[in-house]
Amino acid sequence: MLGNYLIGLREGLEASLVVCILIAYLVKTGRREGLRPVWLGVGLAVVLSLAFGAALQFGSQTLTFAAQEALGGSLSIVAVGLVTWMVFWMRRTARHLKRELHGKLDAALRMGTVALVVTAFLAVGREGLETSLFVWTAVQSADDGVRPLLGALLGLLTAVLLGWLFYRGAVRINLAKFFTWTGGMLVVVAAGVLAYGFHDLQEADILPGLGSRAFDISAQIPPDGWFGTLLKGVFNFQPDPTVLQVTVWALYLVPTLLLFLAPGRVAPNRATPAATRSAPVAPKEPHDTQVAVPGARNTDVGSGGAGDTQRVRDGARRAGDAAGGVEG
């Protein structure tokens, strides 16, 4: 349940932030006529996501057991790929998301109402489709399909509430740290989904090794006990995994988590160097008449032309006056 809560919270908060940015930009720029098309695009994206989830659920029930396992395993791998891409993409572009959306919205406003609907639809629909696919794979791998759905629903409701509070300015969260921690936890959850997806492919006789167990601790952690159920709901833990499951789990989790948490990807959000220091001054080109003249201002050096000649003459005259004073 916790894993599905995280995916609902993460994906829902991304969608909520997108909607908040679009709505706030339209309101602040005085273009409220664009609000209706934006909300229409958001509504269509939600309907598409629900229809996609329903199609996966009810369409798979007409298949044979082997076909269901093959479909579930394949879509689990696809879902893990999408979630992995999402956490890396959001970690990299979260700071520039607002500016990117503003640019797309300006272009859509120039093109008309349909473009506004499409912009909002694509921005929110991607998150909705990813959520539907990931939650469906979690439901397939769980013995109880109610808890994964409940967890995802609670996560989405929390995300909507946070989005509304963001828009009202009532709450502030360090989004860089938020996406780092939730992204790391989702990578762990995705590793369990990936391992279970390969197990489904083994049960469908697409991959070998179903009877080759890496270990069996069912006696120590019963799968129907409270602890086994908790591990199953959060990490897709299985007390008797196959060798292939453990191998896939380790090969995905270790390098992916190291790359995601590597220095440079978790750097705090700070102002760019260009904004914190003045622009570099272009070097002046050398000039044949540039001389070090006592008493001359630095801003006058190297201006070229008649000004250089006059400065040389002034310097010579002052030098002569100084010499005359010494002789006197």
Side-chain angles (χ1 to χ4, degrees), residues 78-236:
V78 173
V80 170
L82 289 175
V83 169
T84 306
W85 171 82
M86 177 266 295
V87 295
F88 277 96
W89 176 83
M90 190 50 134
R91 189 72 184 92
R92 185 179 65 253
T93 62
R95 299 169 188 169
H96 313 292
L97 181 63
K98 183 176 181 180
R99 184 173 57 208
E100 179 182 345
L101 288 173
H102 284 179
K104 292 181 179 180
L105 194 57
D106 284 333
L109 285 168
R110 290 191 295 267
M111 296 176 63
T113 302
V114 176
L116 280 175
V117 175
V118 172
T119 300
F121 175 79
L122 293 178
V124 179
R126 180 189 62 194
E127 313 296 340
L129 292 177
E130 290 177 359
T131 305
S132 297
L133 180 57
F134 201 85
V135 171
W136 181 82
T137 57
V139 170
Q140 296 302 114
S141 61
D143 298 330
D144 182 11
V146 176
R147 281 177 295 181
L149 291 176
L150 181 60
L153 180 60
L154 290 176
L156 290 172
L157 291 177
T158 305
V160 171
L161 177 61
L162 287 176
W164 181 77
L165 293 175
F166 282 146
Y167 180 77
R168 303 297 298 178
V171 65
R172 293 182 180 275
I173 294 178
N174 188 324
L175 293 179
K177 291 184 178 179
F178 173 82
F179 285 123
T180 298
W181 285 105
T182 57
M185 295 176 70
L186 278 181
V187 169
V188 177
V189 173
V193 173
L194 182 65
Y196 201 88
F198 273 79
H199 177 74
D200 284 346
L201 295 179
Q202 286 179 312
E203 288 190 334
D205 290 332
I206 296 177
L207 294 177
L210 182 60
S212 178
R213 302 292 176 183
F215 53 83
D216 189 351
I217 55 175
S218 301
Q220 291 75 21
I221 305 179
D224 54 351
W226 71 269
F227 190 54
T229 303
L230 177 64
L231 293 177
K232 176 72 173 179
V234 177
F235 304 111
N236 268 285

Side-chain angles (χ1 to χ4, degrees), residues 88 91 180-181 183-185 255-266:
F88 277 96
R91 189 72 184 92
T180 298
W181 285 105
M185 295 176 70
T256 304
L257 204 56
L258 289 177
L259 285 174
F260 183 74
L261 298 177
R265 292 187 179 276
V266 294

